[in-house]
Amino acid sequence: MDLKSLYTEILNEHNINPNHKGVMENPTITLQGVNPSCGDNIYLQLKLDQNNIITEGSFNGSGCAVSQASVDMMLDNIIGKSKDEALSQAELFMRMIKGEASGDELEPLDEAAALSNISHMPARVKCAVLGWHTMQNMLNTGNNTGSASCEHCKQGTCSTEDM
């Protein structure tokens, strides 16, 4: 199977049958992620235990197939991991989207690595990174309510150079 077919199959599966879409009871952290330039809007919810291990995650909201599938894949990757491991995954994902990481280096991203070609589709970059940026904001700042979006998305100039 070629990379384009794999990308389409994985994207469709996570968009049509997401593993983590829904509303969680009693999350530790909830944050809204918004891309004002395209209308993607998610609510990301995480439960962390006393050791900062992400024990549960969910998302709700609306957006294109890329934003919805990407956040679902992200949650597949970070549930069961520590806060630091989740942030490391996000950093690797961002490097992949910028075209700075490839090949075996992407193995920790599992299915999310199928989104590597997004770097060649600048209009889709903001969609793919929405959930990841929201998760980074939540875990880096400790925000437990409110809204997160990227400055470059607010300016309507979201591209790989702006991340």
Side-chain angles (χ1 to χ4, degrees):
M1 182 178 290
D2 69 351
L3 190 58
K4 186 175 180 180
S5 297
L6 181 63
Y7 161 81
T8 302
E9 183 177 322
I10 291 171
L11 186 82
N12 284 337
E13 181 60 31
H14 280 276
N15 182 51
I16 295 168
N17 300 306
N19 298 317
H20 305 286
K21 191 163 189 174
V23 177
M24 178 189 306
E25 287 190 33
N26 303 313
T28 308
I29 306 172
T30 299
L31 197 62
Q32 180 183 21
V34 178
N35 276 334
S37 62
C38 68
D40 291 339
N41 182 20
I42 62 162
Y43 291 87
L44 184 61
Q45 298 178 306
L46 300 176
K47 277 189 187 177
L48 285 80
D49 69 12
Q50 65 278 7
N51 298 315
N52 279 328
I53 303 295
I54 300 165
T55 60
E56 289 183 54
S58 69
F59 74 98
N60 209 350
S62 60
C64 69
V66 173
S67 72
Q68 300 290 288
S70 182
V71 72
D72 194 57
M73 287 184 254
M74 178 197 74
L75 287 166
D76 277 350
N77 285 352
I78 67 168
I79 294 172
K81 294 200 170 44
S82 70
K83 172 184 166 180
D84 290 339
E85 289 171 316
L87 289 169
S88 178
Q89 289 249 330
E91 188 270 331
L92 177 58
F93 186 83
M94 297 305 168
R95 287 184 38 240
M96 176 189 75
I97 294 297
K98 292 177 185 179
E100 297 172 357
S102 62
D104 291 342
E105 186 179 6
L106 302 179
E107 194 171 309
L109 293 178
D110 196 32
E111 287 184 326
L115 297 175
S116 64
N117 282 343
I118 293 290
S119 63
H120 304 295
M121 300 178 252
R124 307 312 273 167
V125 166
K126 62 187 172 292
C127 307
V129 302
L130 177 61
W132 298 84
H133 275 304
T134 303
M135 184 261 295
Q136 286 178 308
N137 188 294
M138 295 169 86
L139 297 179
N140 280 327
T141 66
N143 286 344
N144 61 6
T145 58
S147 176
S149 63
C150 308
E151 288 304 312
H152 60 274
C153 291
K154 287 179 186 174
Q155 297 165 8
T157 60
C158 192
S159 72
T160 55
E161 290 82 32
D162 297 322
M163 291 193 327

